[in-house]
Amino acid sequence: METNSPEAFNMNPKKFLLWLFVVTIIMFFASLTSAYLVRSSDGDWLHFDLPSMFWISSGVIILSSLTMQLAYNAAAKNEFEKIKIYTIATLLLGIIFLYLQVKGWGQLYANKIYLGGKYSNPAGSFVYVLSLMHGFHLITGIIYLIIILLSAFKQSIHSGRILQIELCTTYWHFLDLLWIYLFVFLQLNN
Amino acid sequence: MNSILIFVSVSLILAILFLIFRIGILTNVLKGKSDQQVGSANTINAFLFVVVFVLGIIGFYLSFVHSSKYFLGEPASQHGVETDRLFWIIMSVLTLAFLVTNTMLYIFPFVYRYKEGKRALFYPDNHFIERIWTIIPAIVMTGFVYFGWLVWSDIMKPASDKAEVIEVMAKQFAWQVRYPGVSDNKLGAYHFRKIDATNEFGIDFNDEKSFDDFLPTELYLPKGKEVLLEIRARDVIHSVFLPHFRVKMDAVPGMPTKFRFVPTITTKEMRVKNGNPNFNYELVCTEICGRGHYAMRFPVVVVEQAEYDEWKKKQTPWAQLNAEYVAQKTTKELKEKYLKLNGLPVVAQPEMDSVKVDSTSNNLQALSVK
Amino acid sequence: MASVDTLHVGSVSHGHDHDHDHDHDDLPWIRKYVFSEDHKYIAKQYLISGILWAVLGGLFSLIFRLQLGFPNADLTWLKPILGEWIQNGKLDPEFYLAMVTMHGTIMVFFVLTAGLSGTFSNFLIPLQIGARDMASGFLNMLSYWFFFASSVVMLISVFLKTGPASGGWVIYPPLSALPQAVTGSGMGMTLWLGAMALFIVSTLLGGLNYVTTVINLRTKGMTFSRLPLTIWAFFITAIIGLLSFPVLFAAALLLIFDRSLGTSFFLSEIYIGGEALHHEGGSPILFQHLFWFLGHPEVYIVLLPALGITSEIVATNSRKPIFGYKAMVFSIVAIAFLSFIVWAHHMFVTGMNPFLGTIFMVLTLIIAVPSAVKAFNYIATIWRGNIVFTPAMLFSIGLVSFFISGGLTGIVLGNAATDIQLHDTYFVVAHFHIVMGSASFFGMLAGVYHWFPKMFGRMLDDRLGYIHFWLTFIGVYLVFFPMHYMGIAGFPRRYYSWTGFDAFSYTGETNELGEAIIKFADMNQLITIAAIITFVAQFLFIFNFFYSMYRGRVASANPWKSNTLEWTTPVNPGHGNWPGEIPQVYRWPYDYSKPGAKDDFIPQTVPFSETPESNLPNEVDE
Ligand code: HEM
Ligand SMILES: [Cu+2]
Ligand SMILES: [Cu+2]
């Protein structure tokens, strides 16, 4: 029980690790978005509409946050079936989100907004890079969800062992918020 | 020669160190305290701090005297006098701080070396002293910032309309300069897509102002007049460095920069001051730019205003030296104007053999007027 | 077991029990000797990797120093090693740049970030705060192996036919983005970026662990105001790393996009190799902002742990409390904070807005104040001490000397007006080698000398240590001090040779043979010779290190009579560090030579109730 000395900060170390990890991700996206601001203030900036898919995908990811929370609540109440159902729902919504993002890039492309090459503009490239990087982090979230799902099937998630799903929920909400931030940011600055 | 001497003395020091510490051990063993933590080596180390410090200060002094004759000497620009003065003032203060702190740092180890039975002073804090040595550096820094700010903002203030504008373009691995011609005294436009083997600047000949621009092989500067360098690069980042003028500014592709200064000493005057009849000012690159980074030299000449004007008049515009090329690149309306300007027959196209053209060579030396 | 929180703690300490009670010995050897999760073992892995890299980085510097010191020498004898890079007995100028770049990258990141923080944060954090191990041994292990993978990738890049990255350690685009500009920007740069991406992951994993461990796993009584200054330094360093490395990651990512996917974040209006590239609208300066947002904090990531180590060693060996503990902590925090808002002092002459230049000058010079406080506090600590010159102590005093000498020149570089002339000259090379390179390097060596007994249960040989110190100390000054003069004379850095310029070669003097004397040729020679000697002197240390590991005198439990917790473990601590209970802490770590006390040190584990004779009025156990 040495870990619980009164001087120590009263938060589970794993939870704390996750929060620190979230901070590093925030720094990463903060630097990308500041780069965006600095670059856009230099002028020669292309203005265009974000793909309509991004609206739908934003809805989907918000929904997935909801199901994630429900899964967590179910775990807290030991409702084993619900844990599985809601986790699967979150997982599916996550995958749909990624699919919609890819569709969104298709729309951008059809709109002649390219990632790179002769006809590209940093304004467009940034949209690709930001959503790509977010998508990449979301994939790590999905992997985490799969692990949760496996545990759920092994009945090893319940009110007594809730840390794992709690961390996953935090992370997933964070990814959700992160996307909303990016989306709003791009909306406002485009 | 020098180096052999150094080598020998270093080997000597090495040998002496070995001896000293060996002897230290031996006396310890004799006194039967070989496994005691603090032996006579302690005193030797303490003493060495003093020795090294004294030798170091002497070395510092001698090396400074030896090196200072190789410094760049009197700045050849107005602001250079200011920055040099600021530099040496700050350096004097720093040297003083260096001497004071280092004296303590090297003398204390000797004075307070371990002694059997002695107790160190239990002295964890003294807010008064700490406040003092926070406030003093803070005041000194404030002074530095203030004077730095004065000089810096003076250097960086925008150029006046009367400034002599000269374009400096960097590429791997050479400098090129472009002067606005004598007839309109304005630089023509450029675009990087217009660059090719002949037109290395990417000068836009749809812009009339380009017609009289000339590209000499030396950077001529008038003494006593404000000069504005418009700096750009066409491939990677380079940096314009005029050491004698205390001028430095990066040359960045896609983001033109500038530097304004006033040359104050002509090349001729500098030759006399230096006692070096072959002295020349130079333009140097100070941003890593590839394999030839160390070889981007461009000669710089400072002359009196009158001589400068004279020199400018004698230069042939690039467009005239490359008439055939320009004729191809310019628009129809401008073409006539251009030909007239150069006193050429308007109908005599497209051959224009009246003008000697060296369109294959991209070597500027070949184009310049001797 | 009702509340959620107790359960967490229960499950965590369960993990621990698993690790040390079921003893280490049943682990398969690969988990014990390769993928070990024991922080002490990982620290040693970092240390030995760091030493190997330091040798390589040093060797690279000798290669280019040979060119600078003896520009006319015939280097054909290097051909068997360097192959194509030697042509007609001369070093290839592009290879020169490659060596400079690799040297810088290796020294800054692999030696002084991984080798220094990786070693000592790992080793000391759990031992000095009283924890069984890091918060997550697994992430800690991963952190090392990411570093290892990064090392392998970087090492491979050195052997490429087109050469490793050659654009300087700051990898400014467009140079680093265009293989047409320098061959090292092809595959070499790709591997550089790959290696750095792995490196950043490693640093972040490490940093996450260090911060979490310090916050969560301190033993009973170990309040923040009782933390040794080493821990403070590692803790703050880790936080700086967590906040700044992601930014480098972002910069590297955008650069990768520019290089491989044709985006134009940093590239614009480029004509190279006879063609105009399609890129338009990018900003090379933007990269510099992103890079230096990491780059400047990085110099403190390198330096702060060394300062922390020094604080500990100077206090212990002066047999005195560190002077101004609070001020020391405060200045670390202040330096860390300020380090994030001074980055553009590296960019005064990039054509930035002059007003911004002024702001950054002000902020930069503010850093000088907490730095000065630190220097004065060290000096005040040795004042009226009873100083024992262990090799660790010698290196610590050396560090303070470098910290002062190099820090002072930072003041003139941080001044925008004077930096115009000094930027990218040898003055800068002199400055950062002394204050960042040598100071941190000395901190690392001091740390090894001091904690070697804890690491390997044996003592390093003192005499070799003394000789190592004096040679290195004098050597470093001989190598780097003269560079100031060359910088004042305007010599640009990253130059293969200066003789192409009158300004950097003509002296008007001739020697006895009537040959022209070249500016600073003698000094460059001196530097190179001193560098070779200094480099060779390091083998005294390396020999000492490996020899003493097996043959050194067996250490006692507390060889330096130190107060901190690590010396309360057995001489060879097992996994879990303390065989029994973790000791409780009752006081700060600097009760040296307390008036009235029997010994001149009182370990942190001694309660005030046992030392009535020396307690100050307010000192009672809670
Ligand atoms: C064996 C001792 C060392 C010697 C002789 C040495 C020498 C040099 C020299 C002469 C340069 C400038 C080369 C040029 O500009 O052409 C250089 C660059 C550099 N060194 Fe060292 N150095 C040594 C140790 C270190 C250490 C310990 C560090 C750790 C911080 C370090 C970091 C750097 C960096 C960052 C650069 C800049 C690389 C660049 O320009 O991209 N060096 N070194
Ligand atoms: Cu260059
Ligand atoms: Cu900096």
Side-chain angles (χ1 to χ4, degrees), chain C residues 58 61 64-65 96 100 103-104 107-108 112 168-169 426 429 432-433 436-437 479-480 483 493-495 531:
Chain C
S61 76
F64 61 74
R65 265 317 324 172
Y96 176 93
V100 170
H103 161 78
M107 288 297 189
V108 171
L112 294 178
W169 79 284
Y426 260 72
V429 178
F432 75 73
H433 272 95
M436 164 171 88
V479 172
F480 297 117
M483 290 186 189
R493 68 192 274 207
R494 296 163 177 159
Y495 260 36

Side-chain angles (χ1 to χ4, degrees), chain A residues 20 44 47-48 54 59 78 88 95-97 102-103 107 109 112 120 122 146-147 149-150 161 176-178 184:
Chain A
L20 278 182
D44 180 23
H47 292 267
F48 57 91
F54 281 9
N78 288 326
I88 291 174
I95 292 169
I96 292 171
F97 171 81
V102 176
K103 293 277 278 190
Q107 283 181 333
Y109 193 83
K112 299 207 164 49
S120 69
I146 293 174
I147 295 171
L149 198 59
L150 292 179
R161 289 203 55 187
D176 177 4
L177 272 178
L178 180 63
V184 171

